[in-house]
């Protein structure tokens, strides 16, 4: 009997906003505050195959981006239409964490189940939010909306690592927030990890230097090791959460989408 061959996911990054100019000290802990460095790009991700579609994060609203000084390029809920997807029909959304730029626009996904770590909801609604420095990454209306979804049976909680379907799993890393999770996806080029804010930039992960916005530096440092282990030791299979290099390294699904959508299930044009 032939062994069942697991269908790979197509995996996409969609860029929806930017923040800059930035310095090295804003991007790497201990970096020079006077040395110019890369801007932040903001992404959502889509994992798609014949039987399932997963949206990974929902991005920020235009109002949240404007208040925080981000350059808003397009609504993530509308931008998934570039891949032929309708936000009103999305059934599964994985929220890597609940920061404003990853868990906004939730009302645009009325049929979705939201996959979240237990510890992220506890963190975003507990005593840590009494500290302004820790709550500044959250939008209260986004948090309240997700609490309402809990009471409507639309949140699926995960505890550390969980396989949602064969070929796609979530893994709690923490560090940046208490319940940050990464997503491991089986693709035509093997396992790929959408690291989200477990590694904002390739430089954070490869140099093992945390991003300055952090809850636990030790958890983030350990997260770099875990992420690399999940992909069998190849940094080319790790996708950081905010690095502009992603759009440069990975091909667009169509020339008209260059700089907007990148195919992460295809090999990079060169090493990061």
């Amino acid at each position: 009997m032939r062994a069942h061959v697991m269908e790979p996911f197509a995996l996409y990054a969609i860029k929806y906003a930017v923040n800059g100019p930035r310095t090295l000290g804003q991007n790497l802990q201990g970096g020079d505050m006077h040395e110019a460095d890369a801007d932040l790009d903001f992404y959502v991700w889509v994992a798609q195959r014949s039987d399932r579609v997963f949206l990974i994060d929902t991005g920020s609203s235009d109002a949240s981006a404007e208040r925080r000084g981000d350059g808003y390029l397009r609504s993530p809920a509308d931008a998934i239409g570039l891949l032929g997807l309708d936000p009103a029909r999305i059934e599964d959304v994985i929220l890597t964490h609940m920061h404003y730029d990853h868990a906004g626009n939730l009302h645009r996904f009325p049929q979705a189940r939201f996959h979240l770590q237990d510890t992220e909801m506890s963190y975003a609604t507990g005593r840590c939010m009494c500290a302004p420095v820790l709550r500044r990454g959250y939008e209260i209306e986004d948090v309240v909306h997700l609490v309402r979804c809990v009471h409507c049976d639309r949140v699926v909680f995960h505890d550390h690592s969980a396989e949602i379907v064969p070929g796609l799993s979530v893994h709690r890393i923490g560090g940046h927030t208490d319940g940050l999770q990464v997503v491991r996806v089986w693709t035509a080029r093997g396992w790929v990890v959408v690291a989200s804010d477990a590694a904002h930039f390739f430089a954070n992960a490869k140099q093992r230097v945390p991003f300055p916005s952090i809850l636990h530096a030790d958890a983030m440092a350990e997260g770099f090791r875990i992420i690399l282990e999940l992909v069998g030791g190849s940094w080319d299979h790790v996708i950081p959460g905010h690095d502009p290099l992603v759009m440069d390294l990975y091909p667009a699904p169509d020339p008209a989408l260059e700089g907007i959508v990148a195919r992460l299930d295809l090999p990079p044009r060169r090493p990061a």
Side-chain angles (χ1 to χ4, degrees):
M1 180 181 292
R2 292 183 59 186
H4 175 71
V5 177
M6 185 163 55
E7 181 185 353
F9 281 93
L11 184 62
Y12 305 90
I14 302 175
K15 176 178 172 179
Y16 75 87
V18 296
N19 179 278
R22 297 176 65 85
T23 67
L24 188 64
Q26 290 177 293
N27 293 341
L28 271 76
Q29 197 171 67
D32 189 340
M33 291 299 295
H34 301 93
E35 182 179 344
D37 200 52
D39 293 350
L40 286 178
D41 276 3
F42 294 77
Y43 301 104
V44 298
W45 302 270
V46 172
Q48 184 177 24
R49 69 184 184 194
S50 63
D51 62 332
R52 297 293 288 268
V53 175
F54 291 88
L55 176 63
I56 303 170
D57 288 345
T58 55
S60 74
S61 68
D62 55 350
S64 295
E66 183 177 359
R67 280 196 301 272
R68 293 165 184 270
D70 303 327
Y72 203 68
L73 304 174
R74 57 192 60 88
S75 164
D78 295 331
I80 65 172
L82 298 171
L83 300 176
L85 300 175
D86 179 353
R89 297 172 66 91
I90 293 291
E91 295 182 349
D92 289 283
V93 173
I94 298 171
L95 296 176
T96 62
H97 58 305
M98 291 169 60
H99 274 175
Y100 81 97
D101 53 323
H102 295 263
N105 305 302
L106 299 180
H107 67 285
R108 297 290 308 275
F109 303 93
Q111 302 301 317
R113 296 177 293 266
F114 297 104
H115 296 264
L116 189 71
Q117 288 284 324
D118 291 291
T119 46
E120 183 65 9
M121 180 62 82
S122 297
Y123 174 64
T125 58
R127 69 166 63 224
C128 285
M129 295 301 100
C130 297
V133 70
L134 297 179
R135 69 172 181 252
R136 66 184 179 185
Y138 294 89
E139 287 282 351
I140 187 169
E141 293 306 322
D142 298 339
V143 174
V144 170
H145 187 102
L146 200 56
V147 170
R148 290 194 179 101
C149 289
V150 173
H151 287 259
C152 295
D153 299 319
R154 292 181 53 214
V155 176
V156 180
F157 286 107
H158 300 287
D159 181 16
H160 291 272
S161 295
E163 183 183 67
I164 299 177
V165 295
L168 189 145
S169 56
V170 295
H171 305 266
R172 180 183 170 227
I173 298 295
H176 178 62
T177 69
D178 200 33
L180 185 139
Q181 60 185 350
V182 302
V183 186
R184 186 170 77 153
V185 183
W186 179 250
T187 74
R189 68 184 182 106
W191 290 111
V192 173
V193 164
V194 176
S196 185
D197 288 4
H200 284 64
F201 293 89
F202 286 107
N204 295 123
K206 296 174 84 169
Q207 298 177 32
R208 290 175 168 80
V209 179
F211 189 78
S213 176
I214 193 169
L215 176 65
H216 295 301
D218 56 343
M220 183 170 275
E222 174 66 2
F224 299 145
R225 183 194 65 79
I226 295 171
I227 291 166
L228 193 59
E229 187 177 86
L230 287 170
V231 294
S234 173
W235 287 119
D236 283 344
H237 290 245
V238 175
I239 308 300
H242 289 275
D243 201 320
L245 275 176
V246 170
M247 283 292 141
D248 184 46
L249 290 174
Y250 290 93
D254 182 279
L257 298 179
E258 191 73 41
I260 302 172
V261 182
R263 283 283 301 267
L264 308 176
D265 55 315
L266 299 179
R269 294 166 172 144
R270 63 181 190 281

